[in-house]
Amino acid sequence: MRPIIVIPTRLASTRLPRKALADIGGVPMILRVVHRALQSGLGTVVVAAGDQEILDAVSGIENVRGVLTESALASGSDRVHAALEQIDPQRDHDVVINLQGDLPLIDPTTLHNVLEPLKLSGFDIGTLAAPVMNIEERDAASVVKIACSFENSHVARALYFSRQVLPWGEGEHWHHVGVYAWRREALARFVSLPPSALERRESLEQLRALEAGMTIGCARISHAPLGVDTPFDLERIRGLV
């Protein structure tokens, strides 16, 4: 595989406007995410931004490229695809890692983990699953759960994603970590599809892929990284750096 890491970001986030440039220990959040991506050693890192101000914040960093994309693009996946079409039209990179720009404390090794499903022939997309640690996490609608079963493997096929608790019954539950590794052809197909019925119902775009018959493999990691969606999340992250 010849992977590239693309970080989609914009200033007009709904719950925490301008969060890409939020100060965390004297460093804008987007820079913290970029540094984590570089520490993975997987190669070129691209910031796909909807605003020039974000690109100004990451300019001059070695092995980092900035691409200005339309601010109004519907999703991070669309932004990743648009950036790739600009910087790699020859398709030198056959796999793209979509790293969310609101994971400033992500362990760089997990970017290697997300590639594991694509080493197997049966998966179009790779993503990450971490064990749910408590009842509050299990029941929170903000925590996306995955119906999958690892059994004796470190990679499992995702059967469904939901904000509700699933599957039913005794056993471990899995927290979806929204980092993706896409085969280029899978990403191109995905962004060409309209939002699906279940995607709209659950507000989860990965369901579009499942409804279209695409396969998603989950790589197991030990814990879910803290993300920044709200002012409370931001203050919690600030207390950890």
Side-chain angles (χ1 to χ4, degrees):
M1 290 185 288
R2 302 179 303 281
I4 187 171
I5 301 172
V6 181
I7 306 169
T9 184
R10 62 183 183 135
L11 292 180
S13 49
T14 304
R15 286 179 286 181
L16 184 59
R18 297 181 61 83
K19 73 176 178 178
L21 299 179
D23 183 277
I24 301 176
V27 179
M29 180 165 65
I30 186 61
L31 268 183
R32 289 191 173 272
V33 179
V34 164
H35 289 149
R36 296 285 173 136
L38 289 171
Q39 288 167 17
S40 73
L42 285 169
T44 300
V45 175
V46 176
V47 176
D51 306 271
Q52 183 61 45
E53 197 174 347
I54 296 173
L55 297 185
D56 293 342
V58 302
S59 64
I61 303 176
E62 188 176 358
N63 291 325
V64 175
R65 296 186 61 180
V67 177
L68 187 63
T69 57
E70 291 184 27
S71 182
L73 287 172
S75 71
S77 302
D78 291 293
R79 201 170 303 283
V80 168
H81 181 260
L84 280 175
E85 291 299 295
Q86 288 189 52
I87 65 170
D88 186 29
Q90 298 83 15
R91 297 181 174 267
D92 292 331
H93 298 282
D94 58 345
V95 169
V96 55
I97 296 174
N98 178 345
L99 172 59
Q100 306 302 328
D102 56 7
L103 296 173
L105 301 183
I106 191 168
D107 185 340
T109 61
T110 61
L111 300 182
H112 292 264
N113 297 135
V114 78
L115 293 171
E116 289 299 314
L118 299 193
K119 294 178 181 178
L120 307 173
S121 61
F123 295 113
D124 301 304
I125 307 162
T127 193
L128 300 171
V132 169
M133 305 304 291
N134 52 57
I135 293 175
E136 291 75 21
E137 183 182 4
R138 184 197 69 184
D139 292 346
S142 59
V143 174
V144 178
K145 275 71 70 173
I146 314 172
C148 63
S149 177
F150 285 94
E151 296 184 342
N152 297 319
S153 175
H154 66 290
V155 172
R157 180 172 179 172
L159 300 177
Y160 194 70
F161 297 82
S162 182
R163 298 182 183 279
Q164 294 297 312
V165 179
L166 85 166
W168 182 256
E170 295 296 324
E172 200 152 25
H173 292 89
W174 297 98
H175 180 152
H176 179 228
V177 178
V179 177
Y180 297 93
W182 293 87
R183 299 190 195 277
R184 285 287 293 270
E185 60 272 20
L187 178 59
R189 181 185 174 206
F190 177 84
V191 299
S192 73
L193 297 170
S196 67
L198 290 174
E199 173 188 2
R200 294 193 302 269
R201 183 168 178 169
E202 294 251 23
S203 295
L204 297 174
E205 69 172 352
Q206 59 269 43
L207 293 176
R208 186 192 318 175
L210 292 184
E211 286 190 83
M214 301 167 76
T215 52
I216 303 177
C218 303
R220 178 176 181 168
I221 59 174
S222 60
H223 65 276
L226 294 175
V228 178
D229 289 316
T230 66
F232 173 81
D233 297 334
L234 180 59
E235 291 306 314
R236 180 172 56 169
I237 292 284
R238 284 170 169 166
L240 295 174
V241 301

